[in-house]
């Protein structure tokens, strides 16, 4: 359904106050890069975007579950075979754990193929008395600490678009081919995973799925052929508005406008102002939209924002990504859920247990405690049960790489271990074991929800 709101154009956000944008020293070079970007082909199609929207609507009714996960910030240098495959394998493995636990369809969405622009709490960074422009993600500048690294470079917009296209191309080929074939679960195994309770639990689950599949095929007398193909959608924070605008298009035989750089853009917590430029941009596009909701979001403000973004109350259009942190969730989530219920606006509720639970160690390393992440997930499930609402998805920062960025989990990563394999340039991610532990926990929650219903 096209929204086509009054007085909106893909560039009308430029009349509003815009936060979190780089200042490019060379405006002509910027315009040149944006013109090139606007001519390049779309990365996704309106059919896929509409299909995702209807799957998110199903999740809001409790008929499916959204698994949205990936890097905090993708890096242009990590656009390689191993990183893409590893992250996809974890996403696949987690989704099978969730399907098995919840006995419902899992909608897989990567924070991938465009998650290159990052909101920052300060415009500058100071090290040893030297102050430079802050690193804003690989599509804007570089993470090294020199003046030339930190200078916003418009060419990076094109490099980001190209890396997104390469990443998506590889994901599509893998998913459209034999990679996701349930007859060959060995395709998703990761070589560094040794024998642990978790991997035994996972292997048992896989054997039981393949046995069931074989049994059904014998009964049917034919193979399940479509099990080889699987959907993976893309998402990123719609932060760099010039980049988003350049890929915002009309399509034949549909009304309205689509952001063709991703299926599912979201509004970050720092750019949520109803009168600000980001909301102005988002109110005109027809993609499903995520909104990060944190402790400072007032219920009336959120309801007004949802009405601005989705005046027709279209199902699947708005996903709330709740991220309060363990210390605030019990107080904040119920008030928000009450306001949403009273207002009658339809949304999908999901849980981001990462962004409200970040802290710095005494040594100044940004990390998250696995126990607190688990606790927020459990709290959010509990609060939804109490309120009679549905928690229909999870939003995680994780990687298939064997990193040590979050403390805790079965591998018992401690503060001193953080330096061993800390690779994120921005937020700390769950590693493989931690991500799988989260998947099994959610599967248990979904299983117990099923028992409540039946
Ligand atoms: C993020 O998802 O990486 C992020 C910055 O989140 P938030 O806007 O919720 O802080
Ligand atoms: Co993050």
């Amino acid at each position: 359904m096209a929204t086509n709101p009054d007085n909106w154009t893909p560039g009308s956000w430029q009349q509003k106050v815009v936060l979190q944008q780089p200042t490019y020293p060379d405006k002509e070079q910027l315009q040149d890069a944006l013109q090139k970007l606007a001519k390049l082909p779309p990365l996704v199609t309106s059919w896929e975007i509409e299909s995702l929207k209807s799957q998110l609507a199903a999740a809001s009714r409790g008929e499916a579950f959204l698994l949205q996960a990936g890097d905090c910030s993708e890096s242009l240098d990590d656009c390689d075979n191993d990183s893409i495959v590893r992250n996809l394998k974890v996403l696949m493995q987690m989704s099978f754990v969730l399907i098995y636990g919840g006995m419902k369809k899992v909608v897989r969405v990567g924070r991938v193929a465009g998650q290159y622009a990052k909101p920052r709490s300060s415009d500058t960074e100071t090290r040893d008395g030297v102050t430079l422009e802050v690193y804003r993600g690989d599509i804007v500048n570089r993470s090294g600490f020199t003046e030339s690294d930190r200078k916003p470079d418009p060419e990076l917009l094109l490099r980001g678009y190209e890396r997104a296209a390469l990443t998506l191309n590889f994901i599509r080929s893998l998913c459209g081919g034999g990679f996701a074939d349930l007859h060959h679960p060995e395709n998703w195994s990761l070589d560094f995973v040794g024998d642990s309770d978790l991997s035994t639990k996972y292997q048992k689950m896989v054997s039981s799925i393949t046995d069931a599949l074989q049994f059904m095929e014998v009964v049917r007398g034919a193979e399940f052929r479509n099990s080889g193909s699987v959907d993976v959608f893309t998402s990123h924070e719609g932060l760099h508005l010039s980049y988003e605008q350049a890929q915002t298009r009309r399509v034949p035989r549909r009304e309205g406008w689509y952001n063709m750089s991703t299926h599912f853009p979201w509004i970050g917590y720092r750019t949520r102002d109803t009168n600000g430029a980001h909301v102005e941009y988002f109110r005109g596009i027809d993609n499903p939209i995520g909104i990060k909701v944190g402790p400072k979001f007032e219920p009336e403000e959120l309801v007004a924002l949802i009405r601005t973004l989705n005046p027709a109350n279209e199902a699947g259009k708005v996903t709330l990504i709740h991220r309060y942190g363990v210390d605030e969730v019990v107080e904040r989530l119920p008030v928000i859920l009450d306001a949403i219920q009273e207002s009658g606006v339809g949304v999908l509720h999901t849980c981001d247990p990462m962004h409200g639970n970040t802290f710095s160690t005494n040594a100044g390393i940004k990390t998250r405690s696995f126990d607190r992440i688990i606790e927020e997930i459990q709290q959010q499930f509990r609060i939804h049960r109490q309120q009679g609402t549905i928690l229909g998805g999870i939003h995680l920062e994780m990687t298939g790489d064997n990193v040590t960025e979050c403390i805790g989990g079965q591998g018992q990563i401690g503060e001193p271990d953080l330096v061993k394999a800390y690779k994120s340039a921005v937020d700390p991610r769950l590693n493989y074991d931690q991500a799988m532990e989260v998947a099994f926990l959610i599967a248990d929650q979904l299983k117990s929800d099923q028992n409540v219903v039946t």
Side-chain angles (χ1 to χ4, degrees), residues 138-149:
D138 273 13
I139 207 166
V140 174
N141 54 7
R142 297 170 179 86
S143 59
F145 197 72
T146 68
E147 204 154 314
S148 77
D149 282 330

Side-chain angles (χ1 to χ4, degrees), residues 71-73 111 115 118-119 237 266 292 352 354-355 358 366 368 397 426-428:
D71 285 319
C72 174
S73 173
R111 287 174 61 113
Q115 176 54 11
K118 296 308 299 172
E237 178 171 347
W266 75 83
K292 290 290 200 97
D352 167 359
M354 314 296 295
H355 287 90
T358 316
K366 209 174 177 191
R368 290 164 173 152
E397 288 185 344
V426 193
D427 287 341

Side-chain angles (χ1 to χ4, degrees), residues 207-224:
S207 314
S208 107
I209 293 175
T210 38
D211 288 352
L213 196 63
Q214 247 176 11
F215 173 78
M216 291 301 290
E217 286 175 344
V218 172
V219 172
R220 234 171 138 238
E223 259 199 14
F224 286 103

